[in-house]
Structure formats: structure tokens, C-alpha cells
Amino acid sequence: MNDPRSRILPLLRQGERLLWVGQPDPRVRFTGADAFLIPFSILWGGFAIFWEFMAATTAEQPFFVLWGIPFVLVGLYFIFGRFIYKKRRKLRTIYGLTDRRAIVCTGDRSVSESPVNGMPTKVDRSKDGRHVSVTFGSQGVAGLFGMGMYQNTGMDFFSLGLGQTVAFYDVEDTGELLNALDQARVS
């Protein structure tokens, strides 16, 4: 998967034109949702570790120690693991924009797509202007329940089954992507 173009080209349909290919920047670690998720994860993990410590030092039955282990593991994932997962996923993700569709390939098996024309498109620029995220279509049921906030946080599994959106997250090649998006909308 060294050449992103070679991953996208076989997915093109007859007569479809590839306008842009890119990848998310794995150096981007935080999203706006982290303003909530980081304090929450520290509280969760801190309480779980405190519980586990107290259970290990004062409980007479091993049940309480065993009961706390899954909560500690979840807390550690919330605090650290999700950032590792997010970076690994970004390294395996490729984006393609054609004159008809937005395509997201993650790994060797996962491909999601959305039509470009006739769908709402949301463009979010980073504060420093060096990165852009583009969301194609609506957030579906996940948006109604506020579950869309977990996308691109490493905790995406919270919104599984609620209508994942097709999106290009944390793209450093902002000018080329936005130009290709304008071309796709005109096509």
C-alpha cells in the first residue's frame, strides 16, 4: 500500500475520473471532541485505578479485584490506546475523490463511499489552516444521538451501526483536495 493511487484505481467505475488521492495526516492527534473526551477518560481511568487499588488492598474476596479489571482496561484505552489505534488506522487509510464519488479505503478490506453530487458536504478547516476534514452526506442516526462526535477520535466504535459517514479527516493537502472537490461538484 505504498502508492495510494494503486489502491484507488481498481475501485473506479467505467467512465469515472480520479480527481484527487490522499491520506490523513497521522501526526494530527486531537479533535474538538477531545475537549470532552480527555477529561472524561482521565476521570474514568482514575476512578477505575483507584477502585482496583482499594479492592486489591482491602477486599477479602477476589471478586472485587476481578470486577475492576475490565474498567481499568477500558480506562487505559480511553486515555492512551485510542490515540495509538487512531494513528495506526490513519497510516492504513487512503482517500480518493472522483468526479462521482468520495472513496475511503482502510486497510485491505474496508471500502466506503458516498456520492459527491446531491449530498451535503461539510468542510472543516483546522485552526492553523494546515489541515482540512471533509464530510460527505449527513451523519444519519449517529448525528441525532450525538454519536457522530466519536468519529476520528479512536472511539469510533461508539457510533457503529448508527450510520457511519464517509469523511476525509485531517488532510494536509488542503488546496488540492478543495480544488478537486469543486471540480467534482461541477461534473
Side-chain angles (χ1 to χ4, degrees), residues 18-25 94-99 101-104 116 121-126 129-136 166-186:
L18 185 61
L19 302 175
W20 177 84
V21 174
Q23 292 182 277
D25 185 352
I94 297 169
Y95 302 136
L97 185 65
T98 73
D99 55 344
R101 299 178 294 152
I103 304 168
V104 178
V116 176
T121 304
K122 180 180 173 192
V123 177
D124 291 317
R125 299 174 201 276
S126 63
R130 293 179 31 216
H131 295 87
V132 68
S133 294
V134 181
T135 306
F136 300 91
V166 173
F168 298 167
Y169 292 113
D170 306 323
V171 175
E172 193 170 21
D173 185 14
T174 59
E176 293 294 321
L177 171 57
L178 295 177
N179 288 338
L181 186 58
D182 289 339
Q183 285 180 3
R185 288 181 183 157
V186 173

mmCIF file of all heavy atoms in Angstrom, residues 18-25 94-99 101-104 116 121-126 129-136 166-186:
data_model
loop_
_atom_site.group_PDB
_atom_site.id
_atom_site.type_symbol
_atom_site.label_atom_id
_atom_site.label_comp_id
_atom_site.label_asym_id
_atom_site.label_seq_id
_atom_site.Cartn_x
_atom_site.Cartn_y
_atom_site.Cartn_z
ATOM 1 N N LEU A 18 -10.581 9.967 -11.791
ATOM 2 C CA LEU A 18 -9.976 10.210 -10.481
ATOM 3 C C LEU A 18 -9.448 11.640 -10.445
ATOM 4 O O LEU A 18 -8.635 12.034 -11.278
ATOM 5 C CB LEU A 18 -8.843 9.213 -10.225
ATOM 6 C CG LEU A 18 -8.180 9.259 -8.860
ATOM 7 C CD1 LEU A 18 -9.180 8.968 -7.754
ATOM 8 C CD2 LEU A 18 -7.035 8.261 -8.798
ATOM 9 N N LEU A 19 -9.922 12.429 -9.470
ATOM 10 C CA LEU A 19 -9.530 13.834 -9.361
ATOM 11 C C LEU A 19 -8.464 14.075 -8.297
ATOM 12 O O LEU A 19 -7.650 14.986 -8.423
ATOM 13 C CB LEU A 19 -10.755 14.692 -9.029
ATOM 14 C CG LEU A 19 -11.925 14.630 -10.009
ATOM 15 C CD1 LEU A 19 -13.105 15.427 -9.481
ATOM 16 C CD2 LEU A 19 -11.497 15.128 -11.377
ATOM 17 N N TRP A 20 -8.488 13.275 -7.235
ATOM 18 C CA TRP A 20 -7.561 13.501 -6.123
ATOM 19 C C TRP A 20 -7.409 12.220 -5.317
ATOM 20 O O TRP A 20 -8.358 11.460 -5.140
ATOM 21 C CB TRP A 20 -8.112 14.611 -5.226
ATOM 22 C CG TRP A 20 -7.282 14.888 -4.022
ATOM 23 C CD1 TRP A 20 -6.183 15.688 -3.936
ATOM 24 C CD2 TRP A 20 -7.478 14.350 -2.709
ATOM 25 N NE1 TRP A 20 -5.684 15.674 -2.659
ATOM 26 C CE2 TRP A 20 -6.472 14.866 -1.894
ATOM 27 C CE3 TRP A 20 -8.411 13.474 -2.165
ATOM 28 C CZ2 TRP A 20 -6.371 14.537 -0.541
ATOM 29 C CZ3 TRP A 20 -8.316 13.148 -0.821
ATOM 30 C CH2 TRP A 20 -7.292 13.686 -0.028
ATOM 31 N N VAL A 21 -6.197 11.979 -4.836
ATOM 32 C CA VAL A 21 -5.904 10.867 -3.938
ATOM 33 C C VAL A 21 -5.045 11.416 -2.803
ATOM 34 O O VAL A 21 -4.131 12.211 -3.032
ATOM 35 C CB VAL A 21 -5.137 9.729 -4.652
ATOM 36 C CG1 VAL A 21 -4.716 8.657 -3.671
ATOM 37 C CG2 VAL A 21 -5.955 9.135 -5.767
ATOM 38 N N GLY A 22 -5.341 10.996 -1.582
ATOM 39 C CA GLY A 22 -4.554 11.451 -0.442
ATOM 40 C C GLY A 22 -4.743 10.559 0.764
ATOM 41 O O GLY A 22 -5.420 9.527 0.694
ATOM 42 N N GLN A 23 -4.137 10.981 1.857
ATOM 43 C CA GLN A 23 -4.192 10.231 3.117
ATOM 44 C C GLN A 23 -4.335 11.196 4.276
ATOM 45 O O GLN A 23 -3.960 12.373 4.162
ATOM 46 C CB GLN A 23 -2.914 9.408 3.295
ATOM 47 C CG GLN A 23 -2.784 8.280 2.295
ATOM 48 C CD GLN A 23 -1.522 7.470 2.537
ATOM 49 O OE1 GLN A 23 -0.455 7.845 2.103
ATOM 50 N NE2 GLN A 23 -1.688 6.363 3.237
ATOM 51 N N PRO A 24 -4.852 10.717 5.406
ATOM 52 C CA PRO A 24 -4.904 11.579 6.592
ATOM 53 C C PRO A 24 -3.500 11.764 7.166
ATOM 54 O O PRO A 24 -2.626 10.912 6.985
ATOM 55 C CB PRO A 24 -5.791 10.794 7.557
ATOM 56 C CG PRO A 24 -5.690 9.374 7.122
ATOM 57 C CD PRO A 24 -5.426 9.395 5.651
ATOM 58 N N ASP A 25 -3.289 12.860 7.822
ATOM 59 C CA ASP A 25 -2.008 13.140 8.452
ATOM 60 C C ASP A 25 -1.980 12.439 9.816
ATOM 61 O O ASP A 25 -2.724 12.828 10.723
ATOM 62 C CB ASP A 25 -1.826 14.641 8.613
ATOM 63 C CG ASP A 25 -0.461 15.035 9.149
ATOM 64 O OD1 ASP A 25 0.321 14.146 9.545
ATOM 65 O OD2 ASP A 25 -0.170 16.245 9.174
ATOM 66 N N ILE A 94 -6.649 5.467 2.950
ATOM 67 C CA ILE A 94 -6.424 6.207 1.710
ATOM 68 C C ILE A 94 -7.753 6.804 1.278
ATOM 69 O O ILE A 94 -8.796 6.146 1.340
ATOM 70 C CB ILE A 94 -5.872 5.289 0.606
ATOM 71 C CG1 ILE A 94 -4.512 4.757 1.025
ATOM 72 C CG2 ILE A 94 -5.778 6.025 -0.727
ATOM 73 C CD1 ILE A 94 -3.990 3.662 0.148
ATOM 74 N N TYR A 95 -7.697 8.049 0.822
ATOM 75 C CA TYR A 95 -8.880 8.741 0.343
ATOM 76 C C TYR A 95 -8.774 8.932 -1.166
ATOM 77 O O TYR A 95 -7.699 9.216 -1.682
ATOM 78 C CB TYR A 95 -9.006 10.123 0.980
ATOM 79 C CG TYR A 95 -9.065 10.129 2.482
ATOM 80 C CD1 TYR A 95 -8.328 11.046 3.215
ATOM 81 C CD2 TYR A 95 -9.879 9.243 3.180
ATOM 82 C CE1 TYR A 95 -8.399 11.088 4.599
ATOM 83 C CE2 TYR A 95 -9.951 9.272 4.556
ATOM 84 C CZ TYR A 95 -9.205 10.199 5.262
ATOM 85 O OH TYR A 95 -9.276 10.217 6.623
ATOM 86 N N GLY A 96 -9.899 8.809 -1.846
ATOM 87 C CA GLY A 96 -9.955 9.086 -3.266
ATOM 88 C C GLY A 96 -11.206 9.880 -3.590
ATOM 89 O O GLY A 96 -12.280 9.606 -3.053
ATOM 90 N N LEU A 97 -11.053 10.871 -4.447
ATOM 91 C CA LEU A 97 -12.188 11.681 -4.880
ATOM 92 C C LEU A 97 -12.263 11.598 -6.397
ATOM 93 O O LEU A 97 -11.294 11.894 -7.093
ATOM 94 C CB LEU A 97 -12.015 13.132 -4.434
ATOM 95 C CG LEU A 97 -13.182 14.066 -4.722
ATOM 96 C CD1 LEU A 97 -14.407 13.643 -3.926
ATOM 97 C CD2 LEU A 97 -12.813 15.504 -4.398
ATOM 98 N N THR A 98 -13.404 11.144 -6.896
ATOM 99 C CA THR A 98 -13.620 11.062 -8.336
ATOM 100 C C THR A 98 -14.647 12.116 -8.732
ATOM 101 O O THR A 98 -15.137 12.855 -7.885
ATOM 102 C CB THR A 98 -14.134 9.665 -8.764
ATOM 103 O OG1 THR A 98 -15.490 9.523 -8.362
ATOM 104 C CG2 THR A 98 -13.286 8.555 -8.164
ATOM 105 N N ASP A 99 -14.960 12.132 -9.992
ATOM 106 C CA ASP A 99 -15.981 13.076 -10.444
ATOM 107 C C ASP A 99 -17.379 12.654 -10.007
ATOM 108 O O ASP A 99 -18.327 13.415 -10.183
ATOM 109 C CB ASP A 99 -15.909 13.254 -11.962
ATOM 110 C CG ASP A 99 -16.014 11.946 -12.719
ATOM 111 O OD1 ASP A 99 -15.849 10.869 -12.112
ATOM 112 O OD2 ASP A 99 -16.243 12.000 -13.943
ATOM 113 N N ARG A 101 -17.750 10.164 -6.884
ATOM 114 C CA ARG A 101 -17.802 9.596 -5.536
ATOM 115 C C ARG A 101 -16.617 10.022 -4.682
ATOM 116 O O ARG A 101 -15.553 10.337 -5.185
ATOM 117 C CB ARG A 101 -17.747 8.062 -5.601
ATOM 118 C CG ARG A 101 -18.841 7.403 -6.340
ATOM 119 C CD ARG A 101 -18.647 5.893 -6.374
ATOM 120 N NE ARG A 101 -17.470 5.520 -7.154
ATOM 121 C CZ ARG A 101 -16.755 4.415 -6.952
ATOM 122 N NH1 ARG A 101 -17.081 3.575 -6.005
ATOM 123 N NH2 ARG A 101 -15.710 4.143 -7.711
ATOM 124 N N ALA A 102 -16.848 9.955 -3.371
ATOM 125 C CA ALA A 102 -15.774 10.037 -2.382
ATOM 126 C C ALA A 102 -15.548 8.613 -1.882
ATOM 127 O O ALA A 102 -16.506 7.920 -1.527
ATOM 128 C CB ALA A 102 -16.162 10.951 -1.233
ATOM 129 N N ILE A 103 -14.292 8.156 -1.892
ATOM 130 C CA ILE A 103 -13.971 6.773 -1.525
ATOM 131 C C ILE A 103 -12.975 6.784 -0.369
ATOM 132 O O ILE A 103 -11.980 7.510 -0.401
ATOM 133 C CB ILE A 103 -13.356 6.014 -2.720
ATOM 134 C CG1 ILE A 103 -14.298 6.080 -3.928
ATOM 135 C CG2 ILE A 103 -13.038 4.579 -2.347
ATOM 136 C CD1 ILE A 103 -13.665 5.617 -5.225
ATOM 137 N N VAL A 104 -13.245 5.960 0.645
ATOM 138 C CA VAL A 104 -12.340 5.801 1.782
ATOM 139 C C VAL A 104 -11.968 4.328 1.878
ATOM 140 O O VAL A 104 -12.837 3.476 2.051
ATOM 141 C CB VAL A 104 -12.984 6.268 3.105
ATOM 142 C CG1 VAL A 104 -12.032 6.031 4.275
ATOM 143 C CG2 VAL A 104 -13.400 7.724 3.022
ATOM 144 N N VAL A 116 -20.837 12.327 -4.552
ATOM 145 C CA VAL A 116 -20.413 13.696 -4.270
ATOM 146 C C VAL A 116 -21.526 14.686 -4.610
ATOM 147 O O VAL A 116 -21.805 15.592 -3.841
ATOM 148 C CB VAL A 116 -19.126 14.043 -5.051
ATOM 149 C CG1 VAL A 116 -18.728 15.484 -4.832
ATOM 150 C CG2 VAL A 116 -17.997 13.119 -4.647
ATOM 151 N N THR A 121 -22.192 18.491 1.892
ATOM 152 C CA THR A 121 -20.755 18.345 2.131
ATOM 153 C C THR A 121 -20.337 19.388 3.160
ATOM 154 O O THR A 121 -20.630 20.562 3.005
ATOM 155 C CB THR A 121 -19.957 18.547 0.827
ATOM 156 O OG1 THR A 121 -20.443 17.634 -0.156
ATOM 157 C CG2 THR A 121 -18.485 18.306 1.047
ATOM 158 N N LYS A 122 -19.652 18.932 4.188
ATOM 159 C CA LYS A 122 -19.194 19.832 5.244
ATOM 160 C C LYS A 122 -17.669 19.890 5.216
ATOM 161 O O LYS A 122 -17.004 18.849 5.239
ATOM 162 C CB LYS A 122 -19.676 19.327 6.603
ATOM 163 C CG LYS A 122 -19.274 20.181 7.763
ATOM 164 C CD LYS A 122 -19.791 19.589 9.056
ATOM 165 C CE LYS A 122 -19.263 20.347 10.248
ATOM 166 N NZ LYS A 122 -19.517 19.642 11.494
ATOM 167 N N VAL A 123 -17.118 21.089 5.148
ATOM 168 C CA VAL A 123 -15.670 21.291 5.125
ATOM 169 C C VAL A 123 -15.272 21.971 6.428
ATOM 170 O O VAL A 123 -15.756 23.058 6.744
ATOM 171 C CB VAL A 123 -15.239 22.146 3.909
ATOM 172 C CG1 VAL A 123 -13.748 22.413 3.948
ATOM 173 C CG2 VAL A 123 -15.644 21.474 2.609
ATOM 174 N N ASP A 124 -14.392 21.327 7.189
ATOM 175 C CA ASP A 124 -13.871 21.891 8.440
ATOM 176 C C ASP A 124 -12.378 22.122 8.284
ATOM 177 O O ASP A 124 -11.628 21.179 8.005
ATOM 178 C CB ASP A 124 -14.095 20.935 9.619
ATOM 179 C CG ASP A 124 -15.541 20.800 10.001
ATOM 180 O OD1 ASP A 124 -16.235 21.832 10.046
ATOM 181 O OD2 ASP A 124 -15.982 19.661 10.250
ATOM 182 N N ARG A 125 -11.955 23.348 8.501
ATOM 183 C CA ARG A 125 -10.527 23.676 8.442
ATOM 184 C C ARG A 125 -9.971 23.712 9.865
ATOM 185 O O ARG A 125 -10.664 24.134 10.796
ATOM 186 C CB ARG A 125 -10.311 25.026 7.785
ATOM 187 C CG ARG A 125 -10.802 25.095 6.362
ATOM 188 C CD ARG A 125 -10.685 26.522 5.831
ATOM 189 N NE ARG A 125 -11.547 26.751 4.707
ATOM 190 C CZ ARG A 125 -11.251 26.455 3.463
ATOM 191 N NH1 ARG A 125 -10.100 25.895 3.184
ATOM 192 N NH2 ARG A 125 -12.090 26.719 2.476
ATOM 193 N N SER A 126 -8.724 23.286 10.008
ATOM 194 C CA SER A 126 -8.088 23.357 11.322
ATOM 195 C C SER A 126 -7.821 24.820 11.664
ATOM 196 O O SER A 126 -7.810 25.687 10.788
ATOM 197 C CB SER A 126 -6.783 22.553 11.324
ATOM 198 O OG SER A 126 -5.864 23.118 10.415
ATOM 199 N N GLY A 129 -5.124 26.293 9.750
ATOM 200 C CA GLY A 129 -5.349 26.291 8.308
ATOM 201 C C GLY A 129 -4.530 25.279 7.526
ATOM 202 O O GLY A 129 -4.584 25.250 6.302
ATOM 203 N N ARG A 130 -3.774 24.441 8.216
ATOM 204 C CA ARG A 130 -2.905 23.481 7.526
ATOM 205 C C ARG A 130 -3.600 22.165 7.197
ATOM 206 O O ARG A 130 -3.084 21.385 6.412
ATOM 207 C CB ARG A 130 -1.659 23.211 8.371
ATOM 208 C CG ARG A 130 -0.770 24.439 8.470
ATOM 209 C CD ARG A 130 0.475 24.243 9.313
ATOM 210 N NE ARG A 130 0.982 22.898 9.291
ATOM 211 C CZ ARG A 130 1.544 22.300 10.336
ATOM 212 N NH1 ARG A 130 1.643 22.937 11.483
ATOM 213 N NH2 ARG A 130 2.007 21.085 10.237
ATOM 214 N N HIS A 131 -4.732 21.887 7.803
ATOM 215 C CA HIS A 131 -5.456 20.634 7.580
ATOM 216 C C HIS A 131 -6.926 20.923 7.330
ATOM 217 O O HIS A 131 -7.460 21.931 7.788
ATOM 218 C CB HIS A 131 -5.316 19.702 8.789
ATOM 219 C CG HIS A 131 -3.926 19.246 9.023
ATOM 220 N ND1 HIS A 131 -3.041 19.966 9.783
ATOM 221 C CD2 HIS A 131 -3.254 18.164 8.584
ATOM 222 C CE1 HIS A 131 -1.876 19.334 9.800
ATOM 223 N NE2 HIS A 131 -1.985 18.233 9.087
ATOM 224 N N VAL A 132 -7.546 19.996 6.618
ATOM 225 C CA VAL A 132 -8.972 20.117 6.338
ATOM 226 C C VAL A 132 -9.611 18.746 6.501
ATOM 227 O O VAL A 132 -8.970 17.720 6.247
ATOM 228 C CB VAL A 132 -9.221 20.705 4.928
ATOM 229 C CG1 VAL A 132 -8.789 19.752 3.846
ATOM 230 C CG2 VAL A 132 -10.657 21.106 4.735
ATOM 231 N N SER A 133 -10.845 18.722 6.968
ATOM 232 C CA SER A 133 -11.641 17.497 7.039
ATOM 233 C C SER A 133 -12.922 17.758 6.256
ATOM 234 O O SER A 133 -13.543 18.803 6.405
ATOM 235 C CB SER A 133 -11.979 17.134 8.485
ATOM 236 O OG SER A 133 -10.808 16.799 9.200
ATOM 237 N N VAL A 134 -13.282 16.800 5.409
ATOM 238 C CA VAL A 134 -14.470 16.933 4.575
ATOM 239 C C VAL A 134 -15.395 15.763 4.873
ATOM 240 O O VAL A 134 -14.977 14.606 4.797
ATOM 241 C CB VAL A 134 -14.110 16.950 3.067
ATOM 242 C CG1 VAL A 134 -15.368 17.104 2.223
ATOM 243 C CG2 VAL A 134 -13.103 18.043 2.755
ATOM 244 N N THR A 135 -16.650 16.062 5.217
ATOM 245 C CA THR A 135 -17.655 15.045 5.499
ATOM 246 C C THR A 135 -18.684 15.064 4.384
ATOM 247 O O THR A 135 -19.211 16.122 4.044
ATOM 248 C CB THR A 135 -18.343 15.322 6.849
ATOM 249 O OG1 THR A 135 -17.344 15.450 7.857
ATOM 250 C CG2 THR A 135 -19.298 14.207 7.216
ATOM 251 N N PHE A 136 -18.943 13.892 3.827
ATOM 252 C CA PHE A 136 -19.890 13.761 2.728
ATOM 253 C C PHE A 136 -21.192 13.162 3.246
ATOM 254 O O PHE A 136 -21.182 12.117 3.882
ATOM 255 C CB PHE A 136 -19.314 12.858 1.630
ATOM 256 C CG PHE A 136 -18.029 13.382 1.063
ATOM 257 C CD1 PHE A 136 -16.813 12.995 1.600
ATOM 258 C CD2 PHE A 136 -18.035 14.277 0.013
ATOM 259 C CE1 PHE A 136 -15.622 13.477 1.089
ATOM 260 C CE2 PHE A 136 -16.855 14.766 -0.512
ATOM 261 C CZ PHE A 136 -15.640 14.372 0.033
ATOM 262 N N VAL A 166 -19.091 9.013 5.474
ATOM 263 C CA VAL A 166 -17.863 8.966 4.681
ATOM 264 C C VAL A 166 -17.210 10.321 4.847
ATOM 265 O O VAL A 166 -17.837 11.359 4.619
ATOM 266 C CB VAL A 166 -18.181 8.662 3.199
ATOM 267 C CG1 VAL A 166 -16.937 8.777 2.348
ATOM 268 C CG2 VAL A 166 -18.798 7.276 3.074
ATOM 269 N N ALA A 167 -15.944 10.326 5.272
ATOM 270 C CA ALA A 167 -15.257 11.588 5.522
ATOM 271 C C ALA A 167 -13.770 11.437 5.259
ATOM 272 O O ALA A 167 -13.202 10.354 5.421
ATOM 273 C CB ALA A 167 -15.492 12.039 6.958
ATOM 274 N N PHE A 168 -13.164 12.528 4.847
ATOM 275 C CA PHE A 168 -11.712 12.634 4.709
ATOM 276 C C PHE A 168 -11.253 13.470 5.908
ATOM 277 O O PHE A 168 -11.522 14.661 5.971
ATOM 278 C CB PHE A 168 -11.320 13.358 3.423
ATOM 279 C CG PHE A 168 -11.746 12.692 2.137
ATOM 280 C CD1 PHE A 168 -11.686 13.389 0.953
ATOM 281 C CD2 PHE A 168 -12.186 11.380 2.099
ATOM 282 C CE1 PHE A 168 -12.063 12.812 -0.254
ATOM 283 C CE2 PHE A 168 -12.562 10.778 0.906
ATOM 284 C CZ PHE A 168 -12.500 11.503 -0.276
ATOM 285 N N TYR A 169 -10.567 12.839 6.863
ATOM 286 C CA TYR A 169 -10.160 13.543 8.074
ATOM 287 C C TYR A 169 -8.702 13.966 8.011
ATOM 288 O O TYR A 169 -7.842 13.213 7.539
ATOM 289 C CB TYR A 169 -10.351 12.651 9.307
ATOM 290 C CG TYR A 169 -11.792 12.357 9.631
ATOM 291 C CD1 TYR A 169 -12.304 11.078 9.515
ATOM 292 C CD2 TYR A 169 -12.637 13.363 10.063
ATOM 293 C CE1 TYR A 169 -13.632 10.803 9.819
ATOM 294 C CE2 TYR A 169 -13.967 13.102 10.369
ATOM 295 C CZ TYR A 169 -14.444 11.824 10.246
ATOM 296 O OH TYR A 169 -15.756 11.557 10.550
ATOM 297 N N ASP A 170 -8.414 15.154 8.518
ATOM 298 C CA ASP A 170 -7.054 15.636 8.765
ATOM 299 C C ASP A 170 -6.161 15.564 7.522
ATOM 300 O O ASP A 170 -5.039 15.083 7.580
ATOM 301 C CB ASP A 170 -6.420 14.854 9.919
ATOM 302 C CG ASP A 170 -7.272 14.882 11.167
ATOM 303 O OD1 ASP A 170 -7.890 15.926 11.441
ATOM 304 O OD2 ASP A 170 -7.338 13.849 11.872
ATOM 305 N N VAL A 171 -6.658 16.065 6.402
ATOM 306 C CA VAL A 171 -5.892 16.056 5.152
ATOM 307 C C VAL A 171 -5.007 17.292 5.122
ATOM 308 O O VAL A 171 -5.478 18.421 5.292
ATOM 309 C CB VAL A 171 -6.830 16.038 3.926
ATOM 310 C CG1 VAL A 171 -6.042 16.147 2.638
ATOM 311 C CG2 VAL A 171 -7.675 14.772 3.941
ATOM 312 N N GLU A 172 -3.719 17.065 4.884
ATOM 313 C CA GLU A 172 -2.753 18.166 4.853
ATOM 314 C C GLU A 172 -2.758 18.876 3.500
ATOM 315 O O GLU A 172 -2.476 20.061 3.412
ATOM 316 C CB GLU A 172 -1.361 17.616 5.163
ATOM 317 C CG GLU A 172 -0.343 18.674 5.459
ATOM 318 C CD GLU A 172 0.953 18.104 5.986
ATOM 319 O OE1 GLU A 172 1.229 16.915 5.775
ATOM 320 O OE2 GLU A 172 1.702 18.870 6.615
ATOM 321 N N ASP A 173 -3.115 18.172 2.454
ATOM 322 C CA ASP A 173 -3.124 18.690 1.087
ATOM 323 C C ASP A 173 -4.419 19.469 0.837
ATOM 324 O O ASP A 173 -5.235 19.107 0.008
ATOM 325 C CB ASP A 173 -2.990 17.496 0.129
ATOM 326 C CG ASP A 173 -2.855 17.901 -1.314
ATOM 327 O OD1 ASP A 173 -2.605 19.088 -1.575
ATOM 328 O OD2 ASP A 173 -3.012 17.026 -2.176
ATOM 329 N N THR A 174 -4.600 20.579 1.564
ATOM 330 C CA THR A 174 -5.888 21.270 1.563
ATOM 331 C C THR A 174 -6.243 21.870 0.212
ATOM 332 O O THR A 174 -7.371 21.723 -0.256
ATOM 333 C CB THR A 174 -5.926 22.377 2.626
ATOM 334 O OG1 THR A 174 -4.892 23.312 2.357
ATOM 335 C CG2 THR A 174 -5.742 21.809 4.007
ATOM 336 N N GLY A 175 -5.321 22.560 -0.422
ATOM 337 C CA GLY A 175 -5.616 23.230 -1.687
ATOM 338 C C GLY A 175 -6.020 22.263 -2.781
ATOM 339 O O GLY A 175 -7.018 22.472 -3.480
ATOM 340 N N GLU A 176 -5.264 21.195 -2.933
ATOM 341 C CA GLU A 176 -5.563 20.215 -3.982
ATOM 342 C C GLU A 176 -6.897 19.516 -3.734
ATOM 343 O O GLU A 176 -7.680 19.307 -4.652
ATOM 344 C CB GLU A 176 -4.446 19.179 -4.079
ATOM 345 C CG GLU A 176 -3.121 19.737 -4.578
ATOM 346 C CD GLU A 176 -3.211 20.214 -6.020
ATOM 347 O OE1 GLU A 176 -3.882 19.550 -6.838
ATOM 348 O OE2 GLU A 176 -2.631 21.265 -6.319
ATOM 349 N N LEU A 177 -7.154 19.159 -2.488
ATOM 350 C CA LEU A 177 -8.421 18.491 -2.165
ATOM 351 C C LEU A 177 -9.604 19.404 -2.445
ATOM 352 O O LEU A 177 -10.582 18.999 -3.065
ATOM 353 C CB LEU A 177 -8.435 18.021 -0.715
ATOM 354 C CG LEU A 177 -9.779 17.490 -0.193
ATOM 355 C CD1 LEU A 177 -10.289 16.329 -1.036
ATOM 356 C CD2 LEU A 177 -9.661 17.083 1.260
ATOM 357 N N LEU A 178 -9.533 20.637 -1.993
ATOM 358 C CA LEU A 178 -10.661 21.559 -2.179
ATOM 359 C C LEU A 178 -10.868 21.882 -3.655
ATOM 360 O O LEU A 178 -12.013 22.019 -4.104
ATOM 361 C CB LEU A 178 -10.465 22.802 -1.335
ATOM 362 C CG LEU A 178 -10.479 22.558 0.184
ATOM 363 C CD1 LEU A 178 -10.214 23.847 0.940
ATOM 364 C CD2 LEU A 178 -11.763 21.922 0.633
ATOM 365 N N ASN A 179 -9.785 22.005 -4.433
ATOM 366 C CA ASN A 179 -9.922 22.208 -5.885
ATOM 367 C C ASN A 179 -10.604 21.009 -6.530
ATOM 368 O O ASN A 179 -11.488 21.160 -7.386
ATOM 369 C CB ASN A 179 -8.562 22.461 -6.530
ATOM 370 C CG ASN A 179 -8.004 23.834 -6.203
ATOM 371 O OD1 ASN A 179 -8.747 24.747 -5.846
ATOM 372 N ND2 ASN A 179 -6.698 23.966 -6.301
ATOM 373 N N ALA A 180 -10.191 19.811 -6.147
ATOM 374 C CA ALA A 180 -10.804 18.593 -6.713
ATOM 375 C C ALA A 180 -12.274 18.494 -6.303
ATOM 376 O O ALA A 180 -13.117 18.074 -7.094
ATOM 377 C CB ALA A 180 -10.032 17.355 -6.242
ATOM 378 N N LEU A 181 -12.580 18.907 -5.074
ATOM 379 C CA LEU A 181 -13.967 18.893 -4.617
ATOM 380 C C LEU A 181 -14.821 19.843 -5.448
ATOM 381 O O LEU A 181 -15.945 19.515 -5.830
ATOM 382 C CB LEU A 181 -14.022 19.266 -3.127
ATOM 383 C CG LEU A 181 -15.367 19.171 -2.436
ATOM 384 C CD1 LEU A 181 -15.936 17.749 -2.530
ATOM 385 C CD2 LEU A 181 -15.233 19.580 -0.981
ATOM 386 N N ASP A 182 -14.286 21.027 -5.751
ATOM 387 C CA ASP A 182 -15.002 21.962 -6.612
ATOM 388 C C ASP A 182 -15.225 21.368 -8.002
ATOM 389 O O ASP A 182 -16.311 21.502 -8.577
ATOM 390 C CB ASP A 182 -14.242 23.282 -6.728
ATOM 391 C CG ASP A 182 -14.294 24.088 -5.440
ATOM 392 O OD1 ASP A 182 -15.201 23.847 -4.608
ATOM 393 O OD2 ASP A 182 -13.427 24.957 -5.250
ATOM 394 N N GLN A 183 -14.211 20.686 -8.542
ATOM 395 C CA GLN A 183 -14.354 20.026 -9.857
ATOM 396 C C GLN A 183 -15.426 18.949 -9.811
ATOM 397 O O GLN A 183 -16.219 18.814 -10.746
ATOM 398 C CB GLN A 183 -13.034 19.398 -10.287
ATOM 399 C CG GLN A 183 -11.997 20.357 -10.757
ATOM 400 C CD GLN A 183 -10.714 19.621 -11.155
ATOM 401 O OE1 GLN A 183 -10.639 18.388 -11.116
ATOM 402 N NE2 GLN A 183 -9.696 20.367 -11.528
ATOM 403 N N ALA A 184 -15.440 18.176 -8.746
ATOM 404 C CA ALA A 184 -16.413 17.085 -8.635
ATOM 405 C C ALA A 184 -17.833 17.624 -8.560
ATOM 406 O O ALA A 184 -18.756 17.020 -9.097
ATOM 407 C CB ALA A 184 -16.099 16.234 -7.408
ATOM 408 N N ARG A 185 -18.024 18.722 -7.889
ATOM 409 C CA ARG A 185 -19.357 19.311 -7.753
ATOM 410 C C ARG A 185 -19.871 19.839 -9.093
ATOM 411 O O ARG A 185 -21.070 19.844 -9.335
ATOM 412 C CB ARG A 185 -19.353 20.420 -6.734
ATOM 413 C CG ARG A 185 -19.226 19.928 -5.318
ATOM 414 C CD ARG A 185 -19.251 21.089 -4.368
ATOM 415 N NE ARG A 185 -19.063 20.648 -3.013
ATOM 416 C CZ ARG A 185 -18.616 21.452 -2.061
ATOM 417 N NH1 ARG A 185 -18.319 22.705 -2.320
ATOM 418 N NH2 ARG A 185 -18.467 21.010 -0.829
ATOM 419 N N VAL A 186 -18.951 20.301 -9.960
ATOM 420 C CA VAL A 186 -19.333 20.842 -11.261
ATOM 421 C C VAL A 186 -19.651 19.719 -12.238
ATOM 422 O O VAL A 186 -20.509 19.855 -13.104
ATOM 423 C CB VAL A 186 -18.214 21.752 -11.809
ATOM 424 C CG1 VAL A 186 -18.520 22.193 -13.231
ATOM 425 C CG2 VAL A 186 -18.012 22.944 -10.905
#
